[in-house]
Amino acid sequence: MDITILGIESSCDDTSAAVIRNTTLLSNVIASQAVHVKYGGVIPELASRAHQQNIIPVVDTALKEAGITADKIDAIAFTRGPGLLGSLLVGTSFAKGLSIAGNIPMVEVNHLQGHILSHFIDLPDREMPHPSFPFLCLLVSGGHTQIVKVSSPLEMEIIGTTIDDAAGEAFDKCAKVMGLPYPGGPVIDRLAKEGNPNAFTFAKPHVKGEFDYSFSGLKTSFLYTLRDKVAEDADFIEKNKADLCASLQHTIISILLDKLIKATKALGIKDVAIAGGVSANSGLREAVAEAGRRRGWRTFIPEFKFTTDNAAMIAISGYYRYNQGMISGLDVAPVARLEEIL
Ligand code: KG4
Ligand code: ZN
């Protein structure tokens, strides 16, 4: 029997709704919030207000595009966390309202598991290549950087994690000090294409944990380089923007790849996926594909629309959980931190 899931994502600054039938995506609507750009970062209170404005039209459009009405939905999957509490509260409360009104079960989803399971979404006109279990996923987003061993859609183990900043944060914070707009990751990606990745050398971390990451040292090293150079020449950043971006991106990718390669060797796993907002980075995509060619991995690089936050990944995760009877009660509350979900 077909299972139809409505997914709702509201963990940060994108309001998204999607409909999936079994593993096939029927619609995926995303409303991004422009309000944060002028502040150079996401303002939580503004984010939750924008979610409140967006959520009804976004869900409505997702249902219409899928060609169904709410009474045809088997379950509502929603992001329970991690994320901004106020933002999560909007999605969770909306899911509860719809659940009560339509007598539709709710399924809570861990946002990070959602990013990983985006690799199992099929499109109506084509089946996508799916990794085989167990596989390793490098999960790189604005808030998290992890190496996850995925044994099944519901069994995941974090084998490495950042001890301070996330990779996306390193992109965004370094972009900010260069005066680039938020979010900085995509801007650096674009500028890096014109620059020399070996023009500058930044600090690479020595982290105790075998598969753990750290990005705060790189950020400091980047900042000190700018400070010293700008003291000599006030126009230094403007003149060297492309080289700075290329060198920074090169360093972040090299840090990410070192530990990922180590993990594949240690675990003897050759199916390797990347997921999360930073997996949209063209340099990272190419570097992972190249490492795969050299090392005999099968690599799984997500379509761009599934890299940054979207509800399709929440709907597919909801599908797997619903199949296992994992229904949430009406007393479910959102949680901001990952540790509270695990
Ligand atoms: O997964 P995501 O949409 O939200 C979180 O769950 O955090 O990730 C957002 C992050 C931001 O830090 C953004 O700068 C980064 O993904 N990002 C990129 C690119 N596109 C988005 N970083 C580098 N290169 C990109 N092309
Ligand atoms: Zn995300």
Side-chain angles (χ1 to χ4, degrees):
M1 204 186 65
D2 282 342
I3 293 172
T4 306
I5 308 279
L6 168 68
I8 294 172
E9 155 64 31
S10 71
S11 67
C12 190
D13 60 344
D14 294 305
T15 319
S16 180
V19 178
I20 216 159
R21 180 158 300 141
N22 304 322
T23 58
T24 302
L25 187 64
L26 301 184
S27 66
N28 185 32
V29 177
I30 304 172
S32 296
Q33 304 177 358
V35 59
H36 309 289
V37 174
K38 66 176 175 213
Y39 301 102
V42 177
I43 310 292
E45 183 55 27
L46 295 180
S48 42
R49 286 185 205 181
H51 282 304
Q52 277 184 316
Q53 285 174 346
N54 293 343
I55 193 140
I56 291 175
V58 164
V59 170
D60 205 40
T61 309
L63 290 173
K64 282 199 182 108
E65 283 186 11
I68 59 163
T69 44
D71 57 309
K72 298 290 187 298
I73 299 280
D74 292 294
I76 307 157
F78 66 98
T79 305
R80 184 173 173 216
L84 302 171
L85 206 51
S87 294
L88 292 164
L89 203 52
V90 176
T92 307
S93 307
F94 182 87
K96 284 183 188 180
L98 195 58
S99 167
I100 295 169
N103 197 21
I104 309 166
M106 281 194 301
V107 180
E108 67 190 69
V109 171
N110 171 336
H111 179 85
L112 300 174
Q113 292 188 351
H115 273 301
I116 294 171
L117 293 177
S118 64
H119 283 283
F120 294 90
I121 300 168
D122 289 312
L123 298 175
D125 54 345
R126 65 198 142 110
E127 273 195 19
M128 306 299 286
H130 304 311
S132 308
F133 300 109
F135 68 93
L136 283 183
C137 186
L138 174 66
L139 172 62
V140 271
S141 73
H144 297 84
T145 299
Q146 303 169 341
I147 299 175
V148 182
K149 180 184 172 192
V150 187
S151 302
S152 81
L154 300 173
E155 284 168 274
M156 302 189 189
E157 187 191 348
I158 300 167
I159 63 162
T161 187
T162 180
I163 57 168
D164 40 56
D165 288 356
E169 245 174 313
F171 273 108
D172 295 342
K173 287 179 177 170
C174 292
K176 197 168 181 175
V177 297
M178 284 189 283
L180 301 175
Y182 178 86
V187 185
I188 290 182
D189 190 353
R190 204 175 59 238
L191 290 169
K193 293 194 170 85
E194 320 276 299
N196 171 9
N198 299 309
F200 299 97
T201 307
F202 303 116
K204 284 178 57 175
H206 298 278
V207 186
K208 264 213 208 109
E210 211 181 348
F211 311 126
D212 287 340
Y213 289 113
S214 163
F215 288 98
S216 74
L218 166 62
K219 187 182 62 190
T220 310
S221 150
F222 186 80
L223 211 68
Y224 283 3
T225 303
L226 289 193
R227 189 195 57 184
D228 296 348
K229 300 282 190 186
V230 169
E232 293 165 16
D233 173 5
D235 295 330
F236 173 79
I237 297 178
E238 203 42 54
K239 287 181 192 157
N240 295 278
K241 216 168 245 180
D243 283 350
L244 284 167
C245 289
S247 303
L248 174 70
Q249 178 169 304
H250 178 74
T251 313
I252 293 176
I253 293 170
S254 138
I255 295 170
L256 289 171
L257 262 288
D258 280 355
K259 293 289 173 95
L260 180 62
I261 290 168
K262 233 173 150 187
T264 60
K265 283 186 191 156
L267 278 79
I269 293 178
K270 288 188 171 250
D271 269 22
V272 178
I274 56 174
V278 181
S279 70
N281 184 268
S282 52
L284 178 63
R285 295 164 79 90
E286 184 40 47
V288 170
E290 173 60 23
R293 282 192 288 274
R294 256 192 283 133
R295 292 165 195 280
W297 302 344
R298 291 202 308 161
T299 52
F300 298 86
I301 315 284
E303 299 225 339
F304 283 108
K305 60 175 174 287
F306 300 137
T307 56
T308 46
D309 291 347
N310 65 84
M313 69 187 201
I314 304 305
I316 185 88
S317 307
Y319 165 78
Y320 288 115
R321 291 177 77 87
Y322 179 75
N323 256 340
Q324 296 298 313
M326 299 166 86
I327 306 296
S328 302
L330 275 175
D331 57 347
V332 64
V335 290
R337 289 169 54 79
L338 174 66
E339 293 72 23
E340 298 168 67
I341 298 188
L342 292 174

